[in-house]
Amino acid sequence: MSQRPDRRAAFAAVLALITASAAADVSREEIFVLNADGESYTVYKTLRSDLPGRALFLAEGESVDDYVYIHPADYRRETTDDGTRLVFDSGDYALMRADRFRDWQLTDNPDGSTTFHSWDGRELDNGHYGKWNSPDPFAHFSYVWILPANIEVLDAQSNRDGNWQQRGRTLAWRGEQINDLTFRIRFQRQAPETPTFRAVEADPELPDAERITLDSAVLFPSGRHRLTSAGEQLLAELAGRLKARGPTRVIVAGHTDNQPLKPYLRERYPSNWELSAARATGVVRFLAEQGVDAGILEARALGAEQPVADNDTAEGRARNRRIEITIAGAAASGQADTAATGDNESR
């Protein structure tokens, strides 16, 4: 578990007012597009106001490079005693970045559901907490989750009056004239069906081998090697099937796309090689903990060297981020594998 962030880091992208003003009409939108792991996401944030300028404080450890989109593009970066801030000569701005929820934001419940908390429970020195604006409250605030097919929202709460609405795969909240806003959302992640083993083309090293391909987005949070709860469920099922089949060799290979890692990830993984190695060894360790003979398990790090799709497209990169598990041995060959459905290699 990572340490809880300090007060400023707990409220990433806290808003600061540049220009003193009378009551200002400030509108805020936050749109989260969740990934299948329920832990990583892409977020798009906008702020609109009638002020002549705004500033955005970056959280500790956060970099401008973490953002894939910043508008207006002619912002200034300033370093103060309070940290780094982006200064906009406009009352409006928009930003987009990929990230993951912090450990303190997600709680696993006994019934298998997960509760998301937007606030860690601490107030700032100025008395504000959660999502806040100063000196005036938000005139309008919209908060949206766009959900993947395997995540179901069970209930959602806010500490301020507002309107919750769920339509299709979207959960949205809207409130007016509010400040110091927090959310709590309880959701269920459905474990994906385990794909089937398929025969591997003739390989002198692995005669009569079979292989299964698993989507990294299900097994791991974006850019991480720690297994998600859905990933653990999937691998626990797979471990039972492996023990029943009794292969003499199990090779777990980690693959990535060819995109450079974000700066904050390079502190832990210097390159995609290290990330693929950490993921492969993590799967091997989990399978061994589930009772698969550790003596037949092997981890391989292949990074971006063996793509199965075009890295120039988002769909292709998603297919390249994968774990391949190859089994070999007399017991593995020639057995029908009808216990599961799906073909992850075609996704």
Side-chain angles (χ1 to χ4, degrees):
M1 296 284 289
S2 62
Q3 294 183 345
R4 289 165 69 95
D6 64 17
R7 291 182 178 182
R8 190 162 55 83
F11 306 100
V14 170
L15 298 177
L17 186 66
I18 298 178
T19 307
S21 173
D25 189 349
V26 178
S27 297
R28 177 78 167 179
E29 291 180 337
E30 297 187 6
I31 302 174
F32 291 79
V33 181
L34 268 66
N35 294 326
D37 58 22
E39 300 180 18
S40 58
Y41 57 83
T42 298
V43 61
Y44 179 70
K45 298 183 179 183
T46 66
L47 184 138
R48 295 183 296 276
S49 73
D50 54 7
L51 295 168
R54 298 290 297 191
L56 174 75
F57 275 103
L58 300 182
E60 185 175 351
E62 188 179 10
S63 167
V64 175
D65 294 333
D66 295 335
Y67 288 90
V68 297
Y69 175 74
I70 301 178
H71 178 80
D74 56 348
Y75 61 87
R76 301 188 306 279
R77 179 167 24 183
E78 297 180 353
T79 301
T80 70
D81 292 339
D82 294 325
T84 300
R85 68 179 188 175
L86 308 183
V87 180
F88 300 91
D89 293 328
S90 168
D92 304 341
Y93 62 75
L95 310 100
M96 179 183 289
R97 65 187 173 96
D99 203 346
R100 64 181 299 273
F101 294 130
R102 306 298 182 253
D103 290 338
W104 60 267
Q105 291 184 283
L106 298 178
T107 301
D108 291 330
N109 302 315
D111 63 358
S113 66
T114 300
T115 300
F116 161 79
H117 309 268
S118 68
W119 177 45
D120 72 347
R122 293 180 291 179
E123 292 187 3
L124 296 174
D125 293 338
N126 61 14
H128 286 297
Y129 60 89
K131 302 178 186 296
W132 60 275
N133 190 70
S134 177
D136 307 306
F138 292 107
H140 307 279
F141 196 105
S142 295
Y143 186 78
V144 180
W145 276 22
I146 299 176
L147 305 164
N150 70 310
I151 291 183
E152 176 187 2
V153 171
L154 303 178
D155 54 69
Q157 300 176 358
S158 62
N159 68 327
R160 305 298 186 201
D161 291 338
N163 180 40
W164 285 102
Q165 185 175 42
Q166 189 162 3
R167 180 181 302 169
R169 306 306 306 169
T170 301
L171 174 71
W173 181 93
R174 180 176 172 82
E176 297 182 354
Q177 298 301 323
I178 46 88
N179 215 4
D180 303 314
L181 181 63
T182 68
F183 297 102
R184 185 173 64 182
I185 300 173
R186 188 167 65 94
F187 62 91
Q188 184 78 47
R189 288 176 282 195
Q190 299 175 357
E193 295 178 333
T194 308
T196 59
F197 281 100
R198 299 185 180 278
V200 178
E201 295 183 5
D203 185 340
E205 181 188 7
L206 300 169
D208 299 324
E210 294 177 283
R211 179 175 296 148
I212 193 169
T213 301
L214 305 176
D215 187 348
S216 288
V218 173
L219 296 177
F220 310 101
S222 178
R224 307 285 177 168
H225 71 275
R226 178 176 59 85
L227 288 167
T228 64
S229 59
E232 289 182 347
Q233 293 178 52
L234 189 153
L235 290 177
E237 177 188 344
L238 179 60
R241 294 167 60 190
L242 288 174
K243 289 185 289 184
R245 300 183 70 166
T248 58
R249 191 175 182 186
V250 178
I251 301 171
V252 179
H255 299 263
T256 68
D257 59 29
N258 67 348
Q259 300 300 294
L261 296 175
K262 296 183 180 299
Y264 71 92
L265 291 175
R266 288 201 293 269
E267 297 177 2
R268 177 174 296 183
Y269 317 108
S271 72
N272 280 314
W273 287 103
E274 285 78 11
L275 176 59
S276 67
R279 287 179 166 178
T281 54
V283 171
V284 163
R285 183 183 302 109
F286 186 85
L287 292 176
E289 292 171 351
Q290 295 297 307
V292 177
D293 182 5
I296 67 172
L297 292 170
E298 176 183 337
R300 293 183 178 180
L302 296 174
E305 297 305 306
Q306 295 186 8
V308 294
D310 189 349
N311 274 308
D312 291 334
T313 68
E315 180 181 356
R317 290 191 295 271
R319 289 186 60 196
N320 290 333
R321 297 189 294 268
R322 67 198 192 278
I323 290 288
E324 292 182 344
I325 301 177
T326 303
I327 64 173
S333 177
Q335 294 189 9
D337 193 351
T338 59
T341 59
D343 180 2
N344 218 63
E345 292 182 340
S346 66
R347 298 177 187 173

